[in-house]
Amino acid sequence: MEQNKVLVLYAHPSPQRSEVNRHLFKAAKSVAGVTVVDLYYEYPTYHIDIDKEQQRLSEHDVIIFQFPLYWYSTPAILKEWQDLVLEYGFAYGHDGTALHGKTFFCSLSAGGKAEAYQTDGYNHFTIRELLHPLEQMAALTGMQYLPPFALFGARTAQEDGRVKTHVTKWVTLLEELVAGNVDFEIASRAEKLNHYFEAHLVKERA
Ligand SMILES: Cc1cc2nc3c(=O)[nH]c(=O)nc-3n(C[C@H](O)[C@H](O)[C@H](O)COP(=O)(O)O)c2cc1C
């Protein structure tokens, strides 16, 4: 039985060149209980339909941004989506309670290697730190924030055979979210959702 309705908001400016995200996007479409939206496809000129997007949010329990990391952040359309859709009176402020009790996280890929995303590493910050504006967006709008589900070293992932295993984990994660088997309290404390996945979901399925 479906416990949670899951919404994946996919943002890739050049999906035809994607080696990682297009496979995640395609796989997510086949999971029952998951709605997948291709934002760049739906809004090539960034004219986001605010009512439609707010309606989608209201109808789902778990909201996921799926994207390739661009300049340590989301591709531009996800920022525009936030700026337009998360209105006062809907997402925050007086009577702005539409998102209360929902869960939010990012599913992202990054060109940099995992070890580069450390305080003393090449990129100086952890991925969770770099996503702080989104974590606070979730806090302000009353959503429980989970750490990102991430694939690093994206450019060599295909040749290393890591895309296939990541897609398999992604599908399992989505299925477990739909089934209500993800412990949000425990998951929220991880640095990456990948850690929660390895520690809890794999064991329980084995
Ligand atoms: C404009 C642009 C900005 C990027 N910024 C970053 C970045 O800040 N950090 C990083 O690790 N990779 C960065 N990358 C690499 C992408 O994250 C990487 O190519 C992508 O995650 C691969 O996924 P895909 O095969 O689905 O496109 C950037 C790539 C582009 C084109």
Side-chain angles (χ1 to χ4, degrees):
M1 212 176 74
E2 287 174 16
Q3 301 282 324
N4 290 313
K5 286 192 170 169
V6 177
L7 177 64
V8 177
L9 296 170
Y10 172 54
H12 199 307
S14 39
Q16 67 288 351
R17 291 170 62 188
S18 165
E19 291 184 7
V20 177
N21 286 279
R22 70 186 168 96
H23 298 291
L24 298 170
F25 170 68
K26 195 170 162 224
K29 282 202 277 191
S30 65
V31 181
V34 177
T35 307
V36 188
V37 176
D38 184 342
L39 289 176
Y40 277 104
Y41 180 81
E42 280 205 28
Y43 306 115
T45 57
Y46 285 59
H47 282 106
I48 293 172
D49 184 335
I50 296 171
D51 289 343
K52 187 172 169 182
E53 294 305 315
Q54 290 182 346
Q55 185 64 30
R56 276 180 176 147
L57 286 174
S58 300
E59 289 167 357
H60 293 83
D61 308 295
V62 179
I63 317 300
I64 304 171
F65 283 2
Q66 192 217 315
F67 56 91
L69 195 68
Y70 274 19
W71 286 108
Y72 307 106
S73 183
T74 67
I77 204 167
L78 276 169
K79 183 63 170 62
E80 181 74 351
W81 181 96
Q82 288 176 75
D83 295 351
L84 296 177
V85 178
L86 304 179
E87 285 179 324
Y88 179 90
F90 173 78
Y92 70 102
H94 188 65
D95 287 339
T97 57
L99 304 181
H100 282 198
K102 298 185 190 295
T103 300
F104 172 85
F105 71 93
C106 297
S107 168
L108 63 89
S109 64
K113 292 189 174 153
E115 56 267 30
Y117 285 91
Q118 302 294 337
T119 310
D120 54 0
Y122 184 74
N123 288 318
H124 297 120
F125 299 96
T126 68
I127 192 65
R128 184 157 184 164
E129 285 169 343
L130 289 165
L131 297 176
H132 274 170
L134 290 166
E135 184 161 356
Q136 179 53 22
M137 177 271 281
L140 187 77
T141 59
M143 295 194 281
Q144 171 140 41
Y145 180 82
L146 303 186
F149 180 67
L151 178 78
F152 294 95
R155 288 190 203 92
T156 58
Q158 191 67 269
E159 65 202 57
D160 298 346
R162 288 182 292 121
V163 174
K164 205 166 168 232
T165 48
H166 191 69
V167 170
T168 305
K169 287 179 189 173
W170 169 236
V171 169
T172 304
L173 177 61
L174 290 172
E175 287 171 349
E176 299 292 10
L177 283 164
V178 170
N181 291 336
V182 174
D183 186 322
F184 293 144
E185 284 308 319
I186 295 176
S188 70
R189 294 195 286 271
E191 168 65 23
K192 287 180 257 179
L193 213 43
N194 308 55
H195 297 160
Y196 173 83
F197 182 93
E198 308 290 350
H200 298 275
L201 295 181
V202 180
K203 242 188 262 162
E204 277 156 28
R205 281 213 161 185

